[in-house]
Amino acid sequence: MVDPSKIPKTGLTGRTIIYDEDGKPCRSCNTLLDFQLATGKIPKNASKVSTETFTEVIFDLIPGSRTYRKVPPPTKEVIGRSSWTLLHAIGAKYPEAPTQIQQDEMSRFMALFMRVYPMDDSSTFNEIQKAFKETRPNVSSYKGFNSWLCNFHNKVNERLKKEKFDTTFWEDRWANGWE
Amino acid sequence: MVDPSKIPKTGLTGRTIIYDEDGKPCRSCNTLLDFQLATGKIPKNASKVSTETFTEVIFDLIPGSRTYRKVPPPTKEVIGRSSWTLLHAIGAKYPEAPTQIQQDEMSRFMALFMRVYPMDDSSTFNEIQKAFKETRPNVSSYKGFNSWLCNFHNKVNERLKKEKFDTTFWEDRWANGWE
């Protein structure tokens, strides 16, 4: 249980943090920073940029629920972001020296991931499939897998006209955190 | 390309929307609602709840990048939420009458998902593994798979002392959206 005296009322942004009925900070209603503050993950590397007035808006509760709100289904952008978060988090925990079984499992997982991934927009999906086929997963080690995954992610970025990520910073972003 | 005259400057919350250098709304810096407004996904079912003053805080840019910021690695809560988003989105696109190949792929995907899922906290992971083993995936149809997935999600909620989700609302939340 969280000590009630330690629950922050005001976020890093100076705004009141919105909590659900059961005392959980509401992810949709707060900025990511305030949500992280409220859940005890206070971010570093943050700069103040402006002060303003706002009106808070939240989704209605689902009938009969104390905590679940009428959040719309995830957009393809949200599904994409969620997937990269999961894949890089998997990479961050991949063993330095995986067993043959772990290597086989990861190869098969990635291939099936590409089969079941939900995608309406077939032209975008085709681009991602091409990027995947150009560069088969390296599952030989932590370093090999993550280097492959960053390369795959950047190939997708390139095909979707997004900025490439400087892979020098991969471990800061996905595994170890920033200084 | 987005028509510049259509880029909202102020969010549903009345706050200035923060954009990255390339004109993309910053996910970490805006509330989910304002981010959705800026990306053209204006949510319904939202209520105004308060008006306040705040100071905006954002992560520093990664050296050399126009768009990537020093976002910390995902917490286990973020990884969990990302994973449920992906799994329910996969469910939302699962066929009404999947072929035998599609059924086999989904069974194998779910089993491998449980093998590669990154988890430090072995007691929580054990609870999730137990919930998975109690209820093997039903991959026979759209309805069967999603009913199994919601049941599995609720078993995990139960083990993690979270509120159960009323599965009556599954399709509104993950597939069709709210009225």
Side-chain angles (χ1 to χ4, degrees):
Chain A
M1 283 300 292
V2 175
D3 174 355
S5 71
K6 290 198 178 145
I7 293 173
K9 293 204 171 48
T10 307
L12 278 177
T13 60
R15 301 165 62 206
T16 299
I17 295 176
I18 310 281
Y19 291 88
D20 291 331
E21 282 68 6
D22 67 346
K24 250 177 34 177
C26 167
R27 177 63 199 94
S28 316
C29 322
N30 297 296
T31 64
L32 180 58
L33 287 171
D34 287 348
F35 179 75
Q36 289 173 321
L37 179 75
T39 53
K41 322 286 184 206
I42 303 166
K44 295 167 187 171
N45 318 300
S47 317
K48 291 192 176 191
V49 293
S50 71
T51 302
E52 292 179 56
T53 298
F54 77 102
T55 303
E56 189 59 276
V57 175
I58 56 173
F59 293 109
D60 293 340
L61 281 171
I62 293 174
S65 173
R66 291 174 291 108
T67 54
Y68 294 109
R69 291 179 181 277
K70 291 181 169 179
V71 180
T75 60
K76 67 178 179 185
E77 290 78 14
V78 170
I79 300 168
R81 204 173 312 117
S82 298
S83 301
W84 288 121
T85 295
L86 174 65
L87 292 178
H88 285 293
I90 287 172
K93 297 289 174 197
Y94 195 63
E96 297 284 349
T99 63
Q100 190 58 50
I101 289 174
Q102 286 172 319
Q103 293 183 48
D104 292 347
E105 284 178 344
M106 188 58 78
S107 288
R108 287 189 288 133
F109 175 75
M110 283 306 313
L112 285 165
F113 188 96
M114 297 305 294
R115 298 284 302 167
V116 302
Y117 189 78
M119 181 70 87
D120 276 331
D121 174 353
S122 62
S123 69
T124 306
F125 192 47
N126 285 344
E127 292 299 300
I128 297 173
Q129 290 280 8
K130 274 185 217 158
F132 185 74
K133 280 176 186 160
E134 277 171 20
T135 158
R136 286 279 161 184
N138 175 344
V139 295
S140 62
S141 66
Y142 171 85
K143 201 178 163 187
F145 181 72
N146 285 299
S147 157
W148 166 79
L149 183 60
C150 286
N151 186 32
F152 172 47
H153 195 162
N154 267 336
K155 277 184 183 283
V156 174
N157 285 335
E158 198 176 356
R159 287 174 182 277
L160 302 182
K161 314 282 184 231
K162 292 183 181 171
E163 185 188 351
K164 279 191 163 193
F165 183 84
D166 178 348
T167 57
T168 315
F169 296 105
W170 172 82
E171 267 193 319
D172 302 299
R173 174 66 183 86
W174 297 107
N176 300 337
W178 305 86
E179 283 308 301
Chain B
M1 280 301 293
V2 175
D3 174 354
S5 71
K6 290 196 179 146
I7 293 175
K9 293 204 172 49
T10 306
L12 279 178
T13 59
R15 302 165 59 204
T16 300
I17 295 176
I18 310 282
Y19 291 89
D20 291 330
E21 282 68 6
D22 67 346
K24 249 178 32 180
C26 167
R27 177 61 198 96
S28 316
C29 323
N30 297 295
T31 64
L32 180 59
L33 287 170
D34 286 350
F35 179 76
Q36 289 174 323
L37 179 76
T39 53
K41 322 285 183 210
I42 303 166
K44 295 166 188 168
N45 317 302
S47 318
K48 291 193 177 190
V49 291
S50 71
T51 302
E52 294 182 53
T53 299
F54 76 103
T55 303
E56 190 59 277
V57 176
I58 56 172
F59 293 109
D60 294 340
L61 281 170
I62 293 174
S65 173
R66 290 173 294 105
T67 54
Y68 294 109
R69 292 179 182 276
K70 291 181 169 179
V71 180
T75 61
K76 66 180 181 185
E77 289 79 14
V78 170
I79 300 168
R81 204 173 310 116
S82 299
S83 300
W84 288 120
T85 296
L86 173 65
L87 293 177
H88 286 292
I90 287 172
K93 297 290 174 197
Y94 196 63
E96 298 283 350
T99 63
Q100 189 59 50
I101 289 174
Q102 286 171 320
Q103 294 184 47
D104 292 347
E105 284 178 345
M106 188 58 78
S107 289
R108 287 189 287 132
F109 175 75
M110 283 307 312
L112 286 165
F113 188 95
M114 297 303 294
R115 299 281 304 165
V116 302
Y117 189 77
M119 182 70 87
D120 276 332
D121 175 353
S122 61
S123 69
T124 306
F125 192 47
N126 285 345
E127 292 299 299
I128 297 173
Q129 290 280 7
K130 275 184 218 160
F132 185 75
K133 280 176 188 161
E134 277 171 19
T135 159
R136 286 277 161 186
N138 175 346
V139 295
S140 62
S141 67
Y142 172 84
K143 201 178 163 188
F145 182 73
N146 285 300
S147 159
W148 166 78
L149 184 60
C150 286
N151 186 32
F152 172 47
H153 196 162
N154 267 337
K155 277 185 183 281
V156 174
N157 285 336
E158 198 176 356
R159 288 174 181 279
L160 301 183
K161 314 282 184 233
K162 293 183 179 171
E163 186 188 351
K164 279 190 162 193
F165 183 84
D166 179 349
T167 57
T168 316
F169 297 106
W170 172 81
E171 264 191 323
D172 303 299
R173 174 65 183 88
W174 295 108
N176 301 337
W178 304 85
E179 282 310 299

